[in-house]
Amino acid sequence: MPSPRRTRLTPDQRRAQLLLLGRDLLGTRTLDELSIDDLAEKAGISRGLMFHYFKSKQGFHRAVVEAACEDFLARTAPDPALEPLARLHAVLGAFVDYVLDHRATYVSLVRGAASADETVRDLVEGARRTQADRVTAGCVELGLADTPLLRTAARAWVVFAEESVVAWQQPDSDRAGLAEFLERTLVAVLGCVDEGAHVLGGGG
């Protein structure tokens, strides 16, 4: 009986496969430790083919960070079908779930903000800006004024939330407790910006 024919990947499919493997490896090592050789071995391809797709180690790192940021933002995106408060609860829950399910990868991303590679720093900062913009948009929808102070507070809270979830030492089973803590801190920060922020606490 003839052996089944091996499916040949298109260039786009191969690149997507390599990025997925790179994201998986990012969960076991820092960005600086992520090597072309390791990925080539994992994928069963030559080192030269890796350079064909990514040009350099730096290009590989940038592509992996970009893919990881896109995945994070997609999984934590607000659902426009939900009411504003329910949307906030869902986003915070998704954020906690993502970080606790991909802690090592997320830590590598957060620490990537200090990377010597400007493109990597910009990608991580871009993800933070998107999260801060989402917080700002949700607050405006709930009646808060869109001011520079609100945007500053949203940005600062996003960084605080990053560090809080990364540093979380309680059992993963208490994810709801962590999400509720983040919501209380957000309400407290926004209360310093606009007294009307108390409406955010209406959902408990």
Side-chain angles (χ1 to χ4, degrees):
M1 183 175 180
S3 301
R5 295 185 62 183
R6 204 171 174 184
T7 302
R8 186 179 182 86
L9 299 179
T10 67
D12 286 345
Q13 289 172 331
R14 173 66 76 183
R15 192 172 191 276
Q17 177 203 40
L18 294 173
L19 288 175
L20 184 58
L21 286 172
R23 278 167 39 203
D24 289 344
L25 288 174
L26 197 58
T28 62
R29 63 204 71 191
T30 67
L31 186 62
D32 288 338
E33 294 170 340
L34 198 60
S35 78
I36 291 279
D37 291 333
D38 286 346
L39 189 62
E41 183 179 353
K42 270 269 195 212
I45 62 174
S46 70
R47 191 170 188 270
L49 191 56
M50 283 292 300
F51 281 104
H52 169 74
Y53 284 105
F54 300 109
K55 310 303 180 188
S56 66
K57 180 179 179 180
Q58 290 75 23
F60 169 51
H61 285 178
R62 293 167 192 168
V64 170
V65 169
E66 182 176 24
C69 286
E70 288 176 352
D71 182 56
F72 165 68
L73 291 173
R75 294 190 189 214
T76 58
D79 182 352
L82 297 176
E83 294 297 319
L85 284 175
R87 192 183 313 149
L88 171 65
H89 301 324
V91 165
L92 290 176
F95 174 57
V96 168
D97 284 343
Y98 184 91
V99 177
L100 295 185
D101 288 340
H102 307 84
R103 186 189 291 271
T105 300
Y106 189 77
V107 169
S108 291
L109 288 181
V110 170
R111 301 298 179 251
S115 170
D117 188 309
E118 184 177 355
T119 303
V120 168
R121 292 200 307 270
D122 287 346
L123 288 168
V124 176
E125 285 301 318
R128 282 178 174 161
R129 282 194 300 273
T130 297
Q131 289 293 81
D133 288 346
R134 288 172 174 177
V135 171
T136 300
C139 292
V140 170
E141 191 173 5
L142 286 165
L144 276 68
D146 186 353
T147 64
L149 184 57
L150 173 61
R151 291 183 174 273
T152 298
R155 155 74 187 190
W157 179 82
V158 165
V159 176
F160 169 82
E162 285 178 357
E163 292 297 330
S164 296
V165 180
V166 167
W168 183 251
Q169 297 297 321
Q170 301 302 314
D172 279 4
S173 58
D174 194 21
R175 295 181 180 210
L178 177 54
E180 288 167 7
F181 166 73
L182 292 178
E183 184 173 345
R184 290 197 302 272
T185 63
L186 177 58
V187 171
V189 168
L190 295 176
C192 297
V193 175
D194 187 329
E195 291 183 358
H198 68 82
V199 299
L200 287 173

